[in-house]
Amino acid sequence: MGISFIALLALQVYYIEEVIELRHLHFDESVNRSLSEAAHQLEIKEAKRYLEQGPSAFDGIATVYDSVSITTDSAFIQRTKRISAKDGSAFSYTETTANTNLSDKYFTRRSNGIADKSRTLQEIMRERYDKQKELIDEVIYSMLYTASDRPLKDRIDFKELDLSLRSELANNGVDLLYHFRVLSNNGTVIYQCSDYDPTGEDMAFTTTLFKNDPVQKMGKLQLHFPSLTKLGKNSVWFIMPSIVFTLILLTTFIATLVLVFRQKKVTEMKNDFINNMTHEFKTPISSISLAAQMLNDESIPKTPKLVQRLSTTINDETKRLRFQVEKVLQLSMYENQRAKLNLQETDAHELIAGVIHTFALKAEKNGGKIISDLKAGQRIIYIDDMHFTNVIFNLMDNAVKYRREDVALELKVSTWNENNKLCISIQDNGIGIKREDLKRIFVKFYRVSTGNRHDVKGFGLGLAYVKKIITEHKGTIVAESEQGIGTKFIIRMPLANGHAD
C-alpha cells in the first residue's frame, strides 16, 4: 500500500511538473511567434509603402536609368539598368529577356513592309504584365540598395509596431502587460515604450528586425513582461484541484499509518498488560494456596510460630491480591470521563504517615529506609481518602521497583506550603528515568524500559492512574529525574478553605 501510494504521488508530481512546463513552453512559443509575426509585418508595411508611393517618396532613394540592346539574332533583348542614389553612389545590372515585341511600345515595327496588326489580346496582357514586373523590379532593387541605409528610427513606425505586437499577442492568447524596446545591432537603444519598466528584463524575448538586410543594418525587438510571475500563479491555480486532492490523499494515508502504528502499539501494551496481570495474580494465589496446604497437612507440626507465619503470609498475599485487583479496576476509570470520588476534608499528614507506616516494612525488607519530613503548616485537603492513599502508595511502590542494586534504597517524603497549596514530594535514589521517557510516564499502558532488568512487573497503569486522580482533585503532579541519580514526584493540592494547623 505504501509503495503504491508513493508511486501514485510521484506520478502525480511528475504530471504536475509536466503541465507547468508545457504551459511555460506554450507561453514562450506564443510570444516568440507574436514577435516574429510583428517583425514580418514591419517588413511588409515598408514594402507596401514603396509600392504605393514609389521609390521617389523615400529620402535617398535611387534614380533608375534604362538602356536597351537587341542581340544580333533578335531573339533576346538585353536591358542594362543603372540605379543612382542621391548621395552619388550607383550600381548597374543587366537583365536578358526573350524578344516578345516589347519594342512595339517605343517604335512602329513593320514586317515585310506591312504593319503588324495581328497582335492578340494575350500578347497585350503579356506586355502589360512585363511592364508592371519591371516597375516592381525597380522598387525591389531600390529597396535592396537604399532602404537599409536609412536609420531604424526612420524605417519603423513605433505606434504601428506597438499595435501590431498587441494584436499578435492577443491572437496567441497572451494577455499580460508587456514592455518593448528596439535596439540596434550593437545594442544601442533606438526606442523604448513611454512606460518602460525594466522589471523582468532578464527574461526578455528577442527577435531580429529586417533579417534580409546586412548584419550591421539589422535591428532587435526586445519584449518582456514585468508581471511574468502571474503565469506561474495561474499555472498553480490551474492544477490546484489536483494538488488539493493529492494533499487530502496524503493526509489520509499518513493518518492511516499513524492510527495503524498507534493501534499496534496499544495492542502490544495490552498484551504486555495481560501477561503482567497474569503473573501478578499467580504469585499471591500460589503463596496463599501453599500456605493453606501447609495448614491442612497433618504431617507438619502446627507450632504457634508456624501458624502465625502462615497466617501472616496469607494475610499479606491477600492484601497484595486485593491491591492488584484494585489496579485492574482502575482500568475501568479510563472509560469514563470522570472518576467517582467520595470527597471529604482530610489531614494529609495523617494519611501520609499511615502509608509510610505500612510501607516501611517493605522498604526495610529491600534494605532501604523512609525519611519523613512533613513540615507543611496547612495540611487539610479535600480528597477521596482511598484514591489518594493509592496515589501515595503507587509512587512509593515505584521507588522500590526501580531501586538501584548497588546502593541502599532511600525514600524521602516531604511536605510544605506554597501559594495556598499543599506540596507533597516523594523522592528516591533509584535508577532514574531517561529524558525521552519522562514526557510519557503518565500515558496509559506506557512502561519505562528497565534495560537488562526483567524482574520489574506492572501494568503500565500506575502513573496514569496517579495523574488522573490528582487531576480529578484539581491538583497537579510533575516529575523530575536524572538517570542514575533518582526521581522526584511533586504533587500540588489546593487546600481546604478555612482549615489551618
Side-chain angles (χ1 to χ4, degrees), residues 123 145 226 248 290 297 304 314 398 410 462 492:
E123 291 174 336
Y145 184 68
I248 292 174
L290 181 60
D297 193 345
I314 293 174
N398 280 343
E410 183 176 294
R492 290 180 172 85

Side-chain angles (χ1 to χ4, degrees), residues 313-330:
T313 300
I314 293 174
N315 185 54
D316 291 343
E317 294 302 320
T318 301
K319 289 181 179 180
R320 180 179 177 184
L321 184 59
R322 184 173 64 249
F323 180 71
Q324 299 301 337
V325 172
E326 288 179 356
K327 277 192 171 182
V328 175
L329 292 177
Q330 291 169 8

Side-chain angles (χ1 to χ4, degrees), residues 158 161-162 165 178-181 191-193 196 221-222:
F158 297 107
L161 178 60
D162 188 14
L165 280 172
Y178 67 90
H179 295 294
F180 76 96
R181 61 181 182 175
Y191 173 83
Q192 62 184 22
C193 56
Y196 187 82
L221 174 59
Q222 188 179 83

Side-chain angles (χ1 to χ4, degrees), residues 104-145:
D104 287 346
K105 294 173 55 182
Y106 305 102
F107 58 89
T108 302
R109 181 173 61 87
R110 293 179 178 272
S111 177
N112 299 324
I114 302 174
D116 186 6
K117 299 181 179 179
S118 61
R119 290 185 301 170
T120 64
L121 180 61
Q122 181 179 3
E123 291 174 336
I124 295 173
M125 293 303 296
R126 182 182 301 164
E127 290 178 9
R128 292 177 61 187
Y129 170 78
D130 289 339
K131 179 57 180 177
Q132 294 298 326
K133 181 175 179 297
E134 290 176 14
L135 294 175
I136 292 174
D137 288 343
E138 291 176 6
V139 172
I140 292 174
Y141 279 111
S142 298
M143 289 174 61
L144 288 175
Y145 184 68

Side-chain angles (χ1 to χ4, degrees), residues 147-430:
S148 61
D149 288 338
R150 301 172 66 228
L152 282 175
K153 63 181 180 180
D154 295 336
R155 300 177 66 186
I156 302 173
D157 187 328
F158 297 107
K159 290 184 178 180
E160 286 187 0
L161 178 60
D162 188 14
L163 291 174
S164 180
L165 280 172
R166 187 174 304 169
S167 175
E168 293 301 328
L169 289 172
N171 291 339
N172 288 284
V174 180
D175 58 353
L176 296 179
L177 175 67
Y178 67 90
H179 295 294
F180 76 96
R181 61 181 182 175
V182 177
L183 301 90
S184 64
N185 188 58
N186 58 11
T188 303
V189 177
I190 304 299
Y191 173 83
Q192 62 184 22
C193 56
S194 58
D195 58 345
Y196 187 82
D197 182 0
T199 304
E201 199 174 71
D202 54 332
M203 300 178 66
F205 297 85
T206 305
T207 191
T208 302
L209 298 177
F210 305 110
K211 298 179 182 180
N212 296 318
D213 286 2
V215 176
Q216 66 274 15
K217 300 295 183 178
M218 294 180 184
K220 293 180 182 178
L221 174 59
Q222 188 179 83
L223 178 141
H224 71 276
F225 302 90
S227 57
L228 188 59
T229 53
K230 290 184 179 179
L231 179 66
K233 293 180 180 179
N234 291 336
S235 299
V236 172
W237 283 111
F238 177 76
I239 61 175
M240 186 58 69
S242 177
I243 294 176
V244 170
F245 284 114
T246 301
L247 290 176
I248 292 174
L249 187 60
L250 177 62
T251 303
T252 304
F253 178 72
I254 293 175
T256 302
L257 287 181
V258 171
L259 290 176
V260 167
F261 283 111
R262 183 178 295 176
Q263 187 63 35
K264 179 181 177 183
K265 187 174 182 179
V266 170
T267 301
E268 291 175 351
M269 289 191 294
K270 284 188 175 181
N271 291 336
D272 188 37
F273 165 78
I274 293 172
N275 293 334
N276 290 332
M277 182 182 66
T278 303
H279 174 80
E280 293 288 348
F281 281 174
K282 279 184 176 181
T283 301
I285 290 174
S286 298
S287 300
I288 292 172
S289 176
L290 181 60
Q293 289 177 11
M294 291 179 67
L295 287 174
N296 292 328
D297 193 345
E298 297 179 355
S299 63
I300 300 176
K302 308 298 187 298
T303 63
K305 186 176 181 180
L306 178 60
V307 172
Q308 183 179 3
R309 180 180 176 185
L310 291 175
S311 62
T312 301
T313 300
I314 293 174
N315 185 54
D316 291 343
E317 294 302 320
T318 301
K319 289 181 179 180
R320 180 179 177 184
L321 184 59
R322 184 173 64 249
F323 180 71
Q324 299 301 337
V325 172
E326 288 179 356
K327 277 192 171 182
V328 175
L329 292 177
Q330 291 169 8
L331 180 62
S332 64
M333 295 181 60
Y334 294 96
E335 305 300 328
N336 302 319
Q337 293 296 325
R338 294 181 62 87
K340 294 181 180 180
L341 302 176
N342 182 21
L343 300 175
Q344 59 184 1
E345 292 182 356
T346 304
D347 188 326
H349 283 186
E350 290 182 5
L351 185 145
I352 295 172
V355 176
I356 292 175
H357 178 73
T358 303
F359 207 81
L361 293 175
K362 187 172 184 179
E364 292 173 0
K365 183 179 178 180
N366 289 279
K369 62 180 180 178
I370 300 177
I371 300 173
S372 177
D373 185 22
L374 308 179
K375 294 182 178 180
Q378 296 176 307
R379 59 202 188 225
I380 304 300
I381 53 179
Y382 201 56
I383 59 173
D384 182 305
D385 289 357
M386 183 193 72
H387 285 295
F388 203 80
T389 299
N390 288 339
V391 166
I392 304 300
F393 190 89
N394 279 348
L395 295 177
M396 290 185 177
D397 190 51
N398 280 343
V400 175
K401 283 183 179 180
Y402 298 102
R403 66 187 183 277
R404 285 188 289 169
E405 300 294 340
D406 56 335
V407 296
L409 172 65
E410 183 176 294
L411 184 58
K412 183 177 181 180
V413 182
S414 308
T415 64
W416 69 93
N417 291 119
E418 181 181 287
N419 298 329
N420 202 33
K421 290 184 179 180
L422 174 66
C423 301
I424 304 170
S425 169
I426 300 175
Q427 182 176 358
D428 63 57
N429 62 342

Side-chain angles (χ1 to χ4, degrees), residues 422-440:
L422 174 66
C423 301
I424 304 170
S425 169
I426 300 175
Q427 182 176 358
D428 63 57
N429 62 342
I431 61 176
I433 304 173
K434 295 179 181 179
R435 181 174 298 178
E436 55 268 24
D437 291 325
L438 197 59
K439 299 177 181 179
R440 304 168 63 188

